Amino acid sequence: MSKVQTLNPRPIQPAPAYENAHQIARDLLQHIELQLDRMIRPDNNALRWAHVRALNLVNAQLSEVAALVDETNNART
């Protein structure tokens, strides 16, 4: 019977995964900023309550994200 050889896995380091996730977050923020700049303007006659609702939903979700980042950074508000 032959001996089964196993690999000794190297421990996974969090730094590369963190760096990748950090860059993705920055890319998403840049995308959000660009899309916000493209949103309908307040003086546009096509502005409807649905636009207000959508922007308020965006703000609520961004507020949750900001709170999570604060919590991760041990920031106090």
Side-chain angles (χ1 to χ4, degrees), residues 4-56:
V4 175
Q5 184 178 15
T6 59
L7 298 176
N8 291 329
R10 288 182 271 169
I12 298 172
Q13 298 299 316
Y18 182 85
E19 183 177 4
N20 185 57
H22 196 269
Q23 187 57 52
I24 290 169
R26 289 195 173 278
D27 291 346
L28 288 168
L29 286 171
Q30 183 179 26
H31 177 77
I32 291 166
E33 187 173 19
L34 290 171
Q35 290 302 320
L36 285 171
D37 289 343
R38 293 179 181 156
M39 289 183 80
I40 193 168
R41 297 289 175 214
D43 60 351
N44 189 318
N45 289 335
L47 184 66
R48 299 291 180 260
W49 282 108
H51 297 106
V52 176
R53 179 181 176 275
L55 196 50
N56 282 331

